[in-house]
Amino acid sequence: MSSELEQNEKKFQVQFIVHIAMFLAVLGLSVVMNETNDLSVIGKGFLAMSPVVPMIFILRLIINHYRSLDEYIQRVMGESLLWAVGIVGCAALAYGLLAYMVEVPAVSPAFMLPAIAVIFGIAQFFQLLGDSHEE
Amino acid sequence: MKNRLRVLRAEKEWSQADLAERLGVSRQAVNAIETGKHDPSLTLAFALADTFGQSIEDIFRPKG
């Protein structure tokens, strides 16, 4: 990796950790506030959705980082994202169809984004696996 | 697309990381181009040609 890309990567990693910490802080705060205060339905609604705000900042950070990457890594990330969205989408479709016919345990849609992130990481790992050694 | 990148790089005694540094791309990108896994954009192809002091046609050839 060129030194400029390396610097960008390190900067991104630090910013990503800070953003994740912000997300976790907002998430924790929303849970605590919900349990300790008797809020109205609207208040609870805003409180429940508040962790989405730092998540939007994380999304913006990732998109800006994506733009700073070289064309090959952008391609790998794009393909990995297609795999992740495709797999999670197919799983959601299968679950929905299954739910019409048989009784299935409830799964929160809140797990979709983390599932996409995990599958994206795994797909990227496998796609870059062949490039890890110099021939 | 076939290319002579590995040969040209070996002549200069550069590692993939050295070439990546000169081009401002990742080492994985250089590896993917060398192995034919990725066809570079015109911008990167020109940068490669410029780095080796050759024309794009001297480095890249269509398959077949």
Side-chain angles (χ1 to χ4, degrees):
Chain A
M1 197 179 280
S2 76
S3 55
E4 193 188 335
L5 286 176
E6 213 165 296
Q7 278 176 355
N8 283 344
E9 188 66 33
K10 278 180 189 165
K11 194 177 158 193
F12 167 72
Q13 283 171 3
V14 172
Q15 287 178 328
F16 186 74
I17 290 167
V18 170
H19 279 69
I20 288 289
M22 274 165 54
F23 166 74
L24 292 174
V26 174
L27 183 68
L29 204 65
S30 70
V31 171
V32 171
M33 279 182 75
N34 184 43
E35 285 178 4
T36 54
N37 295 290
D38 191 23
L39 297 164
S40 65
V41 176
I42 294 171
K44 279 190 175 189
F46 276 112
L47 203 59
M49 291 189 294
S50 59
V52 175
V53 177
M55 197 47 83
I56 290 167
F57 282 97
I58 293 173
L59 186 64
R60 200 189 62 158
L61 179 74
I62 292 170
I63 290 169
N64 285 338
H65 178 61
Y66 175 85
R67 287 176 182 155
S68 74
L69 296 167
D70 68 56
E71 60 186 50
Y72 177 64
I73 302 297
Q74 283 183 343
R75 177 185 142 179
V76 167
M77 281 182 80
E79 287 178 15
S80 302
L81 192 62
L82 281 176
W83 275 110
V85 172
I87 289 170
V88 173
C90 285
L93 178 68
Y95 176 84
L97 293 172
L98 197 64
Y100 273 117
M101 302 198 183
V102 291
E103 195 143 321
V104 288
V107 180
S108 170
F111 288 112
M112 280 182 84
L113 188 60
I116 288 172
V118 168
I119 297 169
F120 168 76
I122 294 168
Q124 200 173 329
F125 169 78
F126 280 110
Q127 288 207 64
L128 288 173
L129 197 62
D131 305 317
S132 56
H133 299 291
E134 186 164 338
E135 290 176 30
Chain B
M1 194 105 76
K2 287 192 287 188
N3 68 74
R4 297 174 50 236
L5 213 57
R6 188 173 293 163
V7 176
L8 293 169
R9 187 172 58 79
E11 282 173 3
K12 297 263 188 188
E13 296 183 348
W14 291 341
S15 66
Q16 287 182 343
D18 294 333
L19 181 57
E21 177 74 42
R22 285 165 195 273
L23 295 168
V25 299
S26 62
R27 194 196 57 73
Q28 288 97 329
V30 171
N31 186 73
I33 296 167
E34 279 188 3
T35 53
K37 195 174 163 186
H38 175 69
D39 290 332
S41 65
L42 208 50
T43 311
L44 186 52
F46 271 114
L48 276 162
D50 190 47
T51 304
F52 289 110
Q54 305 217 5
S55 66
I56 291 177
E57 294 89 337
D58 290 334
I59 302 175
F60 295 97
R61 287 277 159 84
K63 266 182 187 166

